[in-house]
Amino acid sequence: MGANLARNAARNGAKVAVFNRTEDTMHAFMRRYGKEGNIVPCKTYGDIARSLSTPRVFLIMVKAGEAVDQVIEDLIPYLDSGDILIDGGNSHYADTQRRCEYLAQKQVSLIGMGVSGGEQGALEGPSLMPGGDRKAYDFLEPLLKSMAADDGLGGKCVSYIGPGGAGHFVKMVHNGIEYGLMQLLAEAYDVLRKAGKYSNEELAETFTHWNEGDDLRSFLMEITASIFDLKDGVTGGSLLDVIKDAAGQKGTGKWTTLAAMELGVAIPTINAAVDARIISGSPDLRLREDRLPYTPDLEEPMPPRHQLRSMVRASLHLSSLCTYKQGFQMLEAASREWGWKLDLSEVARIWLGGCIIRSVILKVFMDVLGAHPARVKTAQNVLHEYLRGERQVYWRLFQELASSRGIPIPAMAASLSYYDAIRSEKLPQNLIQAQRDFFGAHGFERTDRDGVFHIHSAV
């Protein structure tokens, strides 16, 4: 992604000095792309500093953690007051906050910028989520806007997010939503192939059709449809069928889960997606000779194929709505906790293009979270309409079908439970509070009077 961001900047008129610790990598880059713009090869950090005019901008694209700190320390001797560092990796937001404060003491600005879109998006137009020093962002904005993707509404997919680690926090939540959406698609695939006996060719046709609608059109739906069509160069069969069913992760999903717990925000769909990846990569848990038993006599009659397809589609759509809602609830809580004043409607807008979670669903959230009363009301009515009638019935029938056939759908099930919990007039946690007070004297509030009470004094 770093190489493609450099090419993107050069194509948009910036003078770009490139450096890689492996000199051969830098030379290979120059041979292949050096004529795409004003690109200068550099062998040292000093070469970079001498190649650029002040205030100089240094884009760091290395693995999150200690590597970022090391690069910053290596650059400090070459930095002048007013220079700007951009950390474009997936750094933890707390690290970005710490680095902002550290560099401010040296009169150097740090922009912690989330970048989404993958390698191709980095070149053709990513979604950019910059946070940190506002004056530094204002200086960079013309270039960043020229580099970012179009939002489809006449704007660009970049906006100042907020101070400190706000940009990287928003990118972290973006990745958490991404975990959830990918798991939902995987569960839809699993039910269609196991219960519905869909072939990969039929799955490709189904997902392609869904990607043409106004409910599920998204980047992830598009690439998923394409994956079903990919052939393996070794066997000649479907590539998907020879890929091991163990999904990796780089940590942003776990960070999202931990941050949500610290903020006291429920994100069950995202948590379920993280758990699903952990289980998939746990051979000691899964690969046992004494397979756990399954009772097949719970099976219900299989619905007609067209109805199964509608059930899966509705479940995907409504569960995806829950996933986005959980992410935005988390952003709202973080903004309140740290005084970031995040514009959630603007966050939804810059996710409309370039990024991995871009989807037509985001247009609804952009309006729901916006400041225009009429558009907010219309968008809320749209959401309520989605959740009424046949779609919700299909959502529930889908859960029954998967459960009766022993097909795990952790993210779909978490989404429906989340929806039922937030719509319920009364939850059973009154019993839990009674239990807590019974054994630990934690106290409880009553529904009929103010104050804190205890079971043993109330009975």
Side-chain angles (χ1 to χ4, degrees), residues 125-446:
S127 174
L128 302 174
M129 294 152 259
D133 186 282
R134 178 64 198 242
K135 289 183 179 179
Y137 170 77
D138 291 340
F139 176 79
L140 294 168
E141 186 179 56
L143 176 61
L144 295 181
K145 280 192 171 182
S146 67
M147 294 174 62
D150 294 331
D151 65 4
L153 303 172
K156 303 290 284 188
C157 291
V158 59
S159 185
Y160 177 71
I161 299 299
H168 276 144
F169 188 92
V170 168
K171 177 53 164 54
M172 179 193 72
V173 173
H174 163 289
N175 285 19
I177 294 171
E178 180 182 306
Y179 270 61
L181 298 176
M182 291 172 72
Q183 178 64 26
L184 293 173
L185 287 164
E187 292 173 15
Y189 151 68
D190 206 25
V191 170
L192 285 171
R193 71 179 176 127
K194 288 179 178 176
K197 309 302 181 186
Y198 274 58
S199 67
N200 286 339
E201 291 76 16
E202 290 172 319
L203 288 164
E205 184 278 327
T206 297
F207 279 63
T208 298
H209 175 70
W210 287 346
N211 194 50
E212 295 168 352
D214 291 332
D215 52 350
L216 289 175
R217 187 167 68 252
S218 68
F219 172 75
L220 284 171
M221 183 67 74
E222 177 185 342
I223 67 167
T224 302
S226 298
I227 288 169
F228 292 127
D229 276 332
L230 296 178
K231 299 300 180 184
D232 175 34
V234 176
T235 65
S238 172
L239 177 63
L240 184 59
D241 292 344
V242 298
I243 295 177
K244 187 176 180 180
D245 60 338
Q249 52 184 318
K250 291 186 176 181
T252 48
K254 178 183 71 175
W255 291 350
T256 307
T257 290
L258 292 174
M261 289 183 178
E262 291 170 356
L263 289 166
V265 178
I267 54 167
T269 307
I270 296 169
N271 292 342
V274 175
D275 286 343
R277 291 199 191 190
I278 293 171
I279 291 173
S280 77
S282 301
D284 293 341
L285 179 64
R286 297 179 60 199
L287 303 181
R288 297 174 41 163
E289 292 182 4
D290 54 333
R291 292 284 183 183
L292 295 172
Y294 164 63
T295 306
D297 60 3
L298 292 177
E299 289 189 9
E300 300 176 358
M302 189 67 190
R305 264 195 156 207
H306 71 277
Q307 186 178 17
L308 173 63
R309 189 156 144 164
S310 296
M311 288 164 57
V312 177
R313 180 174 188 160
S315 298
L316 255 181
H317 183 217
L318 300 187
S319 297
S320 295
L321 288 173
C322 288
T323 309
Y324 283 109
K325 179 176 177 59
Q326 291 165 30
F328 283 114
Q329 287 291 118
M330 190 172 172
L331 292 179
E332 183 179 21
S335 181
R336 186 170 55 249
E337 176 73 15
W338 294 304
W340 284 341
K341 299 180 180 179
L342 299 181
D343 185 337
L344 300 186
S345 179
E346 184 72 349
V347 171
R349 184 193 66 78
I350 66 172
W351 285 348
L352 286 174
C355 78
I356 303 302
I357 64 170
R358 60 186 186 264
S359 165
V360 292
I361 290 175
L362 282 164
K363 291 182 179 179
V364 179
F365 279 97
M366 187 182 75
D367 287 341
V368 165
L369 299 167
H372 193 289
R375 293 172 69 177
V376 170
K377 184 64 175 177
T378 299
Q380 288 175 337
N381 289 340
V382 169
L383 283 176
H384 289 167
E385 191 60 36
Y386 285 152
L387 291 160
R388 288 192 184 97
E390 186 178 71
R391 292 188 193 219
Q392 190 178 143
V393 171
Y394 279 154
W395 198 15
R396 297 180 187 281
L397 289 175
F398 175 84
Q399 313 274 325
E400 293 180 8
L401 176 72
S403 177
S404 71
R405 283 159 173 77
I407 303 172
I409 51 166
M412 294 275 196
S415 299
L416 181 56
S417 291
Y418 171 79
Y419 174 73
D420 280 338
I422 63 176
R423 70 163 189 82
S424 293
E425 183 177 348
K426 188 174 180 63
L427 294 169
Q429 274 64 36
N430 55 330
L431 175 58
I432 292 174
Q433 196 60 22
Q435 293 166 336
R436 293 180 73 239
D437 186 60
F438 196 98
F439 66 69
H442 294 287
F444 58 86
E445 296 177 272
R446 296 178 62 104

